[in-house]
Coordinates of all heavy atoms in Angstrom, one line a residue:
E3 N 175.0 154.8 -33.0 CA 175.0 153.9 -34.1 C 176.4 153.7 -34.8 O 176.8 152.6 -35.1 CB 174.0 154.4 -35.2 CG 173.8 153.4 -36.3 CD 172.8 153.9 -37.3 OE1 172.2 155.0 -37.1 OE2 172.6 153.2 -38.4
G10 N 181.2 146.6 -33.6 CA 180.9 145.4 -34.3 C 182.1 145.0 -35.3 O 182.5 143.9 -35.5
C12 N 185.1 145.8 -34.8 CA 186.3 145.4 -33.9 C 186.1 143.9 -33.5 O 187.1 143.3 -33.2 CB 186.4 146.3 -32.7 SG 186.8 148.0 -33.1
R20 N 191.4 144.3 -42.3 CA 191.1 145.1 -43.5 C 191.1 146.5 -43.2 O 191.7 147.4 -43.9 CB 189.8 144.7 -44.1 CG 189.9 143.3 -44.8 CD 188.7 143.0 -45.7 NE 187.4 143.1 -45.0 CZ 186.9 142.1 -44.4 NH1 187.5 140.8 -44.5 NH2 185.7 142.2 -43.8
S45 N 178.8 153.6 -20.5 CA 178.8 152.9 -19.2 C 178.4 153.9 -18.0 O 177.6 153.5 -17.1 CB 180.2 152.3 -18.9 OG 180.5 151.4 -19.9
L54 N 169.5 156.0 -10.7 CA 168.3 156.8 -10.5 C 167.1 155.9 -10.3 O 166.2 156.2 -9.5 CB 168.1 157.7 -11.8 CG 167.5 159.1 -11.6 CD1 168.2 159.8 -10.5 CD2 167.5 159.8 -12.9
T123 N 108.8 136.5 24.1 CA 107.9 135.4 24.6 C 106.5 135.5 24.0 O 105.9 134.5 24.0 CB 107.9 135.5 26.1 OG1 107.3 136.7 26.5 CG2 109.3 135.4 26.7
W125 N 102.5 136.1 24.0 CA 101.5 135.8 25.0 C 101.1 134.4 25.0 O 100.2 134.0 25.8 CB 100.2 136.7 24.8 CG 100.4 138.1 25.1 CD1 101.1 139.1 24.4 CD2 100.0 138.8 26.3 NE1 101.1 140.3 25.0 CE2 100.4 140.2 26.2 CE3 99.3 138.5 27.4 CZ2 100.2 141.1 27.2 CZ3 99.0 139.4 28.4 CH2 99.5 140.7 28.3
F129 N 99.9 130.0 32.6 CA 100.1 131.0 33.7 C 99.3 130.5 34.9 O 98.4 129.6 34.9 CB 99.6 132.4 33.3 CG 98.2 132.4 32.9 CD1 97.2 132.6 33.9 CD2 97.8 132.3 31.6 CE1 95.8 132.6 33.5 CE2 96.4 132.4 31.2 CZ 95.5 132.6 32.2
I200 N 90.8 128.2 35.0 CA 89.9 127.7 36.1 C 90.3 128.5 37.3 O 91.4 128.9 37.5 CB 90.0 126.2 36.3 CG1 91.5 125.8 36.5 CG2 89.5 125.5 35.1 CD1 91.7 124.4 36.9
F209 N 74.8 138.0 51.3 CA 73.6 138.1 50.4 C 72.3 138.2 51.3 O 71.3 137.8 50.9 CB 73.5 136.8 49.6 CG 74.4 136.8 48.4 CD1 75.7 136.3 48.6 CD2 74.1 137.2 47.2 CE1 76.6 136.2 47.6 CE2 75.0 137.1 46.1 CZ 76.2 136.6 46.3
A230 N 48.4 138.3 60.6 CA 49.5 139.2 61.2 C 50.6 139.4 60.2 O 50.7 138.6 59.2 CB 50.0 138.5 62.5
G232 N 55.0 140.4 60.1 CA 56.3 140.6 60.8 C 57.4 140.8 59.9 O 57.3 140.7 58.7
D233 N 58.6 141.0 60.5 CA 59.8 141.1 59.7 C 60.3 139.8 59.2 O 60.1 138.8 59.8 CB 60.9 141.8 60.6 CG 60.6 143.2 61.0 OD1 59.8 143.8 60.2 OD2 61.1 143.6 62.0
I252 N 92.4 141.6 22.4 CA 93.2 142.2 21.4 C 94.3 143.0 22.0 O 94.1 143.6 23.1 CB 92.4 143.1 20.4 CG1 93.2 143.6 19.3 CG2 91.8 144.3 21.2 CD1 92.4 144.3 18.2
D278 N 60.5 131.5 61.8 CA 60.4 132.0 63.2 C 59.8 130.9 64.1 O 59.3 131.1 65.2 CB 59.6 133.2 63.3 CG 58.2 133.1 62.9 OD1 57.8 132.0 62.4 OD2 57.4 134.0 63.0
N279 N 59.9 129.6 63.6 CA 59.4 128.5 64.4 C 60.3 128.3 65.6 O 61.5 128.0 65.4 CB 59.3 127.2 63.5 CG 58.6 126.1 64.2 OD1 58.8 125.8 65.4 ND2 57.8 125.4 63.4
D304 N 107.2 142.2 33.0 CA 108.4 141.7 32.3 C 108.0 140.5 31.5 O 106.8 140.2 31.3 CB 109.6 141.5 33.3 CG 109.2 140.5 34.4 OD1 108.3 139.6 34.2 OD2 109.8 140.6 35.5
Y313 N 86.4 143.5 35.7 CA 85.0 143.7 36.1 C 84.2 142.5 35.6 O 84.3 142.1 34.5 CB 84.4 145.0 35.6 CG 82.9 145.0 35.7 CD1 82.3 145.3 36.9 CD2 82.1 144.6 34.7 CE1 80.9 145.3 37.1 CE2 80.7 144.6 34.8 CZ 80.1 145.0 36.0 OH 78.8 144.9 36.1
T320 N 68.1 130.5 39.9 CA 67.2 130.4 41.1 C 67.5 129.1 41.8 O 67.5 128.0 41.1 CB 65.8 130.5 40.7 OG1 65.5 131.8 40.0 CG2 64.9 130.4 41.9
H322 N 66.4 126.5 45.0 CA 65.3 126.1 45.9 C 65.7 125.2 47.0 O 66.6 124.4 46.8 CB 64.2 125.4 45.1 CG 63.6 126.2 44.0 ND1 62.5 127.0 44.1 CD2 64.0 126.3 42.7 CE1 62.2 127.6 43.0 NE2 63.1 127.2 42.1
S339 N 56.6 122.4 57.5 CA 57.1 122.3 56.1 C 57.4 123.7 55.6 O 56.7 124.7 56.0 CB 56.2 121.6 55.2 OG 54.9 122.3 55.0
K363 N 108.2 130.2 22.6 CA 108.8 131.3 21.9 C 108.7 131.1 20.4 O 108.7 130.0 19.9 CB 110.3 131.4 22.2 CG 110.5 131.7 23.7 CD 112.0 131.9 24.0 CE 112.2 132.3 25.5 NZ 113.6 132.5 25.8

Side-chain angles (χ1 to χ4, degrees):
E3 185 177 355
C12 293
R20 288 193 300 270
S45 298
L54 215 53
T123 61
W125 287 77
F129 61 84
I200 55 175
F209 287 86
D233 293 332
I252 186 169
D278 61 357
N279 190 318
D304 57 28
Y313 163 82
T320 300
H322 297 272
S339 64
K363 296 185 179 180

